[in-house]
């Protein structure tokens, strides 16, 4: 088969212009993805779609805004269900074509291999025109899919392709019309020409029908689609002897068709898995009420635009565990603000907020639609996380947990740039409040000096009062019940100890309660409290 | 062919999931004693008894249908046992082959199904004979209907057809099928032709068509033989499935027979156990108002192996019976008797009374003060309310609710308020209630208001050291005999208030 021009550079994953960066992109350390609860999510995507290089794609953030937009453009087109369905059908067909060709190559019996190839060509022959039809009918905008459409159109329109398909169809139909009878008696197999008749198993069921009490369960043995064994291959050879002319036409046709599958389509088939995988995540999250948007990713922040803005963002890891109702949250870092300090009651959604922001930044850097109403960010190079870890506390570390905290943050400080997002959860909880405040201030100065964007969940409220470069966020509680969190994280000064007092009151443990509960007389008079 | 010995139209499902509150019923009414007596040591009889008790009949004809059938069983227990033995034999036909049967390959499945079917045909022959012999002896429409159905459906011509099929299924002339060239050249779309047990001419006619191509695998080619076996199996898949389903159908028929007969055998067991204790039984009658004479708790009779004291009550339109009075005076026993008898009545069983007329109710619910509530971390009243809330979730108009000391875990004022509120609401919603209570305020306010109308029964005080356990109709008395006892069991201190 002849190749079509332009097939070599076609890619849905990277923009053709400027030419792709030759160096391998650095991968994000697994620990950061684990802290963001993205690791299992991304692994599950790879597990379902083996052999497509997905793990590389998902672990390596893009460096260029052009590539991010290239992928997001394709996602935009896939938002059109007709296009998405068309591409899925196309991808499935190329996948099964590849499997059939591989099976034919491994097959010993020539007639069996011929059957597999006829089927492969049939699927391929239907897949390409179907793809052209969809991509021409629907308004395709992305450079990637426009290039795919044009390539497929040239391919489908070529005389060689059309001849291949026509001939394949005709021979397939003639083969299907072949009928024969087989008799198996002991080890002897006899093949004769023959026609089908009524099904005997129905006679058997009819005889016993009157005993039926309820629908019978099936006792059909299930057969996996294993290859054709040599006994069936021999039967096929005998059938071929009954139809010599037809089988030699088939052999000639397939000889001519060798190498019919264009490598560009195979590559697109692999690349599409990335888009399908992410869309499956989006579909599932949407059923739980999550909205997705196309993030606006900037090379540089334009005048008057905020540094980082997320409206109605959700933590995908949490959403997909199905554990809780989703409360979307906002983040706005304006002007010179580079740091957000988050404080407030425990179990109030602070960590979830961190994962939401870190996750959205990371996903945007892969060129994925993100779980938010809108998102505006600078092209980040990497997301770093520093989460408190239970196992670190137990480790036999001479300097203790504090030293471990410091060692890990030092590593991060070495690597950060003004394009880094640093997400910190409860660092320095092992030391005194005064120490933690002082150390925290020192770390923040360094991070600010490097221009990094920092989000930090902490009980050290002093860190939120460092001046105009720092945004203070708190976890809100219900106005009527200060012990009940709303899971909203909002800009506000640190709330102090209100929450703890309320919790004590609920359990009757405020000073005045405790005195009132100890009776002066000492007798137990309350019948309800016994037992 | 439907067995329909337990209902004129419906199949009986021994595996129907029990209602969610079945465990409460069992515990509160001590039903396990009754089921044990019905089982007579046989787990299957126990399972059928349990299922029948928990799936109440709701129309009078269906109840009478079972009562009549049981009349036949009482007159001809040996014949019924013989039929049951036959249904057990049908199950044994499979037993020996079970290992080979499920999950095997179609070829071997087919031969074991065919063997099973041959064994079942033997059992069917004997079923025909027994039914014909029994026909003149029995009188109930349940048994007569069954015998007539067997005679009609399993006539001589049909038995011939069965045997012919079984001969064919052995495929004496080899497996012959038509097929097509499938994907990748597989032998596909096989349609099996009838294995010819008599007419071999057709086979030879096909075989002689020219051209003929054939090959024979060498004896020592085991791998090849396996592949051929695979192909043969795949081609036999449909007919093997059909034969296995046929065998299932016949087995299902005998299983249904076994199940429905087990119900009557279990009832024979129960009847024998009760009459051995000189406890009376009668067939209940459907009527709008409850009217019972000498009703006793059969579970108590079975436990003490003696006829307990019976009690009676007659209603005239009231939905509510309130039972008050002395501890150990037979209140809870009578409450249980009312519940168990209702379940037995609606299972079509004889009831433990000299006279029993009652409306059919939907479901039976119980709400018992529980000793083990004390163990819970949650408050006792919390727990009582939570359990009552579960009942209220499920209960419907026409259902029967038995309350035993409900809301005694709080003080009388609060408990009475709760009980009164709830009782009025439930009765207004059409629920029939029987309420054993120490809450005098509750009982007194019910009586004073007449809202809702109720019948009051009282356990007499233990005056001469002899307990009569005879409840009498009468106004609730203000003295609370049971508070101390309750305090001991619940660890509460109501008595000191």
């Amino acid at each position: 088969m002849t190749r079509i021009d332009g097939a070599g550079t076609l890619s849905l994953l990277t923009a053709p212009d400027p030419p792709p960066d030759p160096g391998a992109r650095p991968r994000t350390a697994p620990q950061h993805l684990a802290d963001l609860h993205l690791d299992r999510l991304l692994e599950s995507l790879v597990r379902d779609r083996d052999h497509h290089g997905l793990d590389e794609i998902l672990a390596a953030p893009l460096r260029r805004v052009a590539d991010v937009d290239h992928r997001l453009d394709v996602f935009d087109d896939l938002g059109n269900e007709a296009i998405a369905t068309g591409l899925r059908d196309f991808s499935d067909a190329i996948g099964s074509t590849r499997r059939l060709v591989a099976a034919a190559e491994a097959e010993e019996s020539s007639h069996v291999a011929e059957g597999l190839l006829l089927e492969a060509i049939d699927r391929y022959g239907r897949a390409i025109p179907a793809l052209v039809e969809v991509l021409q009918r629907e308004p395709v905008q992305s450079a990637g899919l426009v290039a795919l459409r044009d390539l497929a159109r040239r391919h489908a329109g070529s005389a060689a392709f059309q001849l291949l398909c026509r001939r394949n169809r005709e021979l397939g139909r003639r083969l299907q019309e072949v009928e024969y009878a087989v008799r198996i008696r002991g080890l002897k197999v006899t093949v004769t020409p023959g026609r089908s008749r009524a099904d005997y198993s129905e006679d058997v069921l009819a005889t016993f029908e009157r005993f039926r009490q309820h629908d019978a369960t099936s006792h059909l043995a299930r057969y996996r689609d294993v290859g054709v064994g040599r006994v069936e291959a021999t039967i096929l050879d005998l059938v071929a002897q009954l139809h010599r002319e037809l089988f030699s036409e088939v052999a000639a046709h397939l000889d001519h068709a060798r190498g019919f599958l264009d490598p560009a389509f195979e590559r697109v088939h692999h690349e599409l898995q990335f888009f399908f995988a992410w869309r499956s995540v989006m579909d599932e999250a949407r059923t739980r009420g999550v909205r997705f948007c196309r993030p606006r990713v900037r090379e540089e922040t334009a005048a008057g635009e905020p540094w980082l803005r997320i409206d109605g963002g959700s933590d995908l890891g949490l959403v997909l565990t199905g554990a809780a109702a989703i409360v979307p949250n906002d983040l706005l870092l304006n002007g010179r603000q580079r740091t957000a300090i988050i404080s407030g009651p425990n179990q109030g959604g602070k960590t979830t907020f961190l994962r939401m922001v870190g996750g959205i930044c990371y996903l945007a850097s892969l060129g994925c639609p993100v779980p938010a109403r809108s998102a505006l960010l600078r092209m980040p190079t990497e997301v770093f996380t520093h989460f408190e870890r239970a196992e670190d506390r137990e480790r036999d570390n001479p300097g203790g947990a504090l030293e471990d905290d410091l060692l890990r943050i030092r590593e991060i400080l070495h690597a950060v740039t003004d394009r880094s997002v640093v997400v910190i959860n409860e660092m320095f909880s092992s030391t005194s409040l005064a120490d933690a405040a002082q150390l925290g201030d020192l770390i923040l100065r360094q991070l600010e000096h490097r221009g990094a964007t920092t989000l930090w969940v902490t009980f050290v409220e002093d860190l939120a009062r460092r001046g105009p470069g720092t945004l203070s966020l708190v976890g809100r509680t219900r106005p009527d019940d200060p012990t009940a969190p709303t899971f909203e994280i909002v800009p506000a000064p640190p709330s102090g100890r209100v929450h703890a007092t309320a919790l004590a009151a609920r359990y009757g443990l405020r000073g005045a309660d405790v005195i009132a509960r100890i009776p002066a007389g000492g007798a137990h008079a309350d019948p309800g409290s016994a037992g | 062919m439907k067995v329909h010995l337990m209902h004129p139209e419906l199949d009986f499902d021994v595996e129907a999931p029990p209602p969610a509150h079945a465990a409460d019923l069992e515990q509160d009414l001590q039903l396990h004693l009754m089921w044990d007596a019905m089982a007579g040591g046989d787990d299957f009889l126990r399972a059928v008894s349990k299922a029948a008790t928990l799936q109440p009949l709701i129309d009078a004809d269906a109840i009478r249908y079972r009562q009549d059938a049981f009349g036949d069983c009482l007159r001809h227990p040996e014949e019924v046992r013989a039929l049951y033995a036959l249904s057990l034999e049908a199950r044994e036909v499979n037993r020996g082959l079970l290992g080979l049967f499920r999950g095997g390959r179609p070829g071997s499945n087919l031969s074991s199904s065919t063997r099973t079917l041959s064994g079942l045909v033997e059992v069917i022959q004997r079923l025909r004979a027994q039914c014909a012999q029994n026909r003149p002896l029995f009188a109930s429409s349940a048994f007569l209907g069954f015998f007539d159905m067997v005679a009609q459906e399993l006539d001589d011509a049909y038995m011939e057809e069965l045997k012919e099929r079984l001969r064919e299924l052995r495929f004496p002339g080899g497996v012959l099928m038509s097929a097509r060239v499938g994907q990748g050249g597989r032998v596909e779309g096989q349609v099996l032709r009838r294995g010819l047990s008599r007419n071999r001419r057709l086979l030879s006619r096909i075989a002689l068509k020219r051209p003929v191509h054939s090959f024979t695998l060498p004896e020592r080619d085991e791998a090849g033989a396996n592949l051929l076996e695979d192909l043969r199996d795949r081609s036999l898949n449909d007919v093997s499935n059909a034969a296995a389903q046929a065998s299932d159908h016949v087995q299902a028929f005998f299983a249904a027979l076994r199940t429905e007969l087990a119900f009557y055998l279990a009832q024979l067991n129960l009847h024998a156990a009760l009459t051995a204790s000189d406890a009376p039984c009668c067939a209940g009658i459907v009527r709008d108002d409850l009217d019972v004479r000498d009703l006793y708790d059969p579970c108590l009779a079975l436990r003490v192996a003696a006829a307990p004291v019976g009690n009676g009550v007659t209603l005239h339109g009231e939905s509510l019976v309130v039972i008050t009075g002395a501890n150990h005076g037979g209140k809870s026993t009578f409450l249980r008797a009312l519940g168990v008898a209702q379940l037995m009545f609606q299972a079509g069983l004889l009831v433990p009374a000299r006279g029993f007329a009652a409306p059919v109710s939907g479901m039976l619910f119980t709400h018992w003060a529980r000793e083990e509530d004390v163990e819970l971390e949650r408050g006792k009243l919390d727990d009582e309310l939570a359990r009552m809330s579960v009942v209220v979730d499920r209960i419907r108009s026409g259902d029967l609710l038995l309350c035993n000391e409900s809301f005694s875990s709080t003080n009388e004022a609060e408990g009475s308020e709760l009980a009164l509120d709830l009782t009025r609401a439930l009765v207004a919603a059409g629920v029939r209630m029987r309420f054993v209570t120490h809450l005098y305020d509750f009982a007194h306010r019910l009586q004073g208001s007449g809202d809702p109308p109720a019948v009051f029964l009282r356990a007499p005080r233990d005056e001469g050291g002899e307990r009569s356990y005879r409840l009498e109709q009468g106004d609730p008395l203000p003295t609370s005999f049971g508070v101390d006892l309750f305090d001991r069991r619940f660890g509460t201190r109501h008595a000191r208030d």
Side-chain angles (χ1 to χ4, degrees), chain A residues 46 81 83 183 194 215 279 292 307 379 387 394 399 414 435 448 457 474:
Chain A
V46 175
E81 271 313 313
I83 295 178
R183 177 148 61 103
D215 287 342
R279 279 174 52 84
F292 282 84
W307 178 255
M379 185 73 207
F387 276 39
E394 290 154 16
H414 279 316
D435 265 7
E448 282 161 2
V457 164
V474 298

Side-chain angles (χ1 to χ4, degrees), chain B residues 12 16 90 127 132 153 186 241 278 283 314 341 359 370 374 383 394 468:
Chain B
F12 178 71
L127 177 69
E153 295 277 341
R186 299 209 84 166
N241 178 48
D278 286 330
T314 304
R370 292 258 177 80
V374 179
D383 182 70
R394 301 197 179 123
S468 71

Side-chain angles (χ1 to χ4, degrees), chain A residues 100 111-116 119 123 175-236 238-239 241-242 244 247 524-528 530-531, chain B residues 1-2 11 101-102 106 117 124 153-154 158 161-162 165 168-169 171-181 183-188 191-194 200 203 207 209-219 221 223-225 227-228 230-234 237-239 241-246 248-250 252-253 256 374 380 491-494 497:
Chain A
L100 286 163
H111 289 316
V112 173
E114 286 162 7
L116 294 169
E119 178 68 24
R123 297 197 187 182
L175 270 177
Q176 272 176 10
E177 284 163 1
V178 170
E179 270 191 284
Y180 56 95
V182 181
R183 177 148 61 103
I184 303 171
R185 191 176 190 183
L187 293 175
K188 185 176 180 189
V189 179
T190 309
V191 178
T192 54
R195 298 198 163 277
S196 62
R197 285 158 193 255
D199 186 353
Y200 176 57
S201 53
E202 311 219 331
D203 295 354
V204 174
L205 274 179
T207 296
F208 291 92
E209 172 66 22
R210 66 189 63 188
F211 287 99
R212 170 201 290 265
Q213 303 295 304
H214 37 73
D215 287 342
T217 48
S218 171
H219 296 278
L220 282 174
R222 285 213 190 96
Y223 284 93
R224 278 177 299 127
D225 198 12
V226 289
V228 178
R230 76 184 138 88
V231 166
E232 282 179 75
T234 311
I235 291 175
L236 187 62
L238 297 186
V239 175
Q241 286 180 36
L242 296 175
R244 280 174 204 280
F247 276 78
H524 294 281
D526 175 18
Chain B
M1 287 173 66
K2 297 291 195 171
D11 300 347
F101 197 77
R102 311 280 162 181
L117 284 168
I124 293 169
E153 295 277 341
L154 307 178
Y158 179 67
E161 183 186 336
L162 281 188
R165 279 281 178 259
E168 288 163 8
L169 282 171
F171 291 102
V175 173
L176 179 65
M177 71 199 114
S178 46
R180 293 170 176 277
V181 179
Q183 194 193 343
R186 299 209 84 166
V187 177
E188 223 174 66
V191 176
L192 200 67
R193 295 180 181 175
R194 193 168 165 188
R200 292 184 141 261
L203 178 72
K209 272 191 186 168
R210 295 290 167 187
V212 175
H213 293 278
S214 71
F215 64 95
T216 303
L217 294 170
E219 290 284 349
D221 180 7
L227 288 168
L228 183 57
D230 279 345
L231 175 63
R232 186 174 180 276
D233 277 338
R234 265 195 358 238
N237 204 1
D238 279 345
V239 75
N241 178 48
Q245 290 188 337
D248 285 355
H249 286 329
V250 178
F253 170 75
V374 179
K380 279 169 290 189
T492 49
R493 287 169 166 271
H494 299 302
D497 284 1

Side-chain angles (χ1 to χ4, degrees), chain A residues 409-423:
Chain A
I409 195 69
R410 192 179 62 181
E411 258 176 61
I412 292 172
L413 284 169
H414 279 316
V416 293
T417 67
D418 66 339
R419 294 187 180 275
S420 302
V421 174
V422 183
V423 169

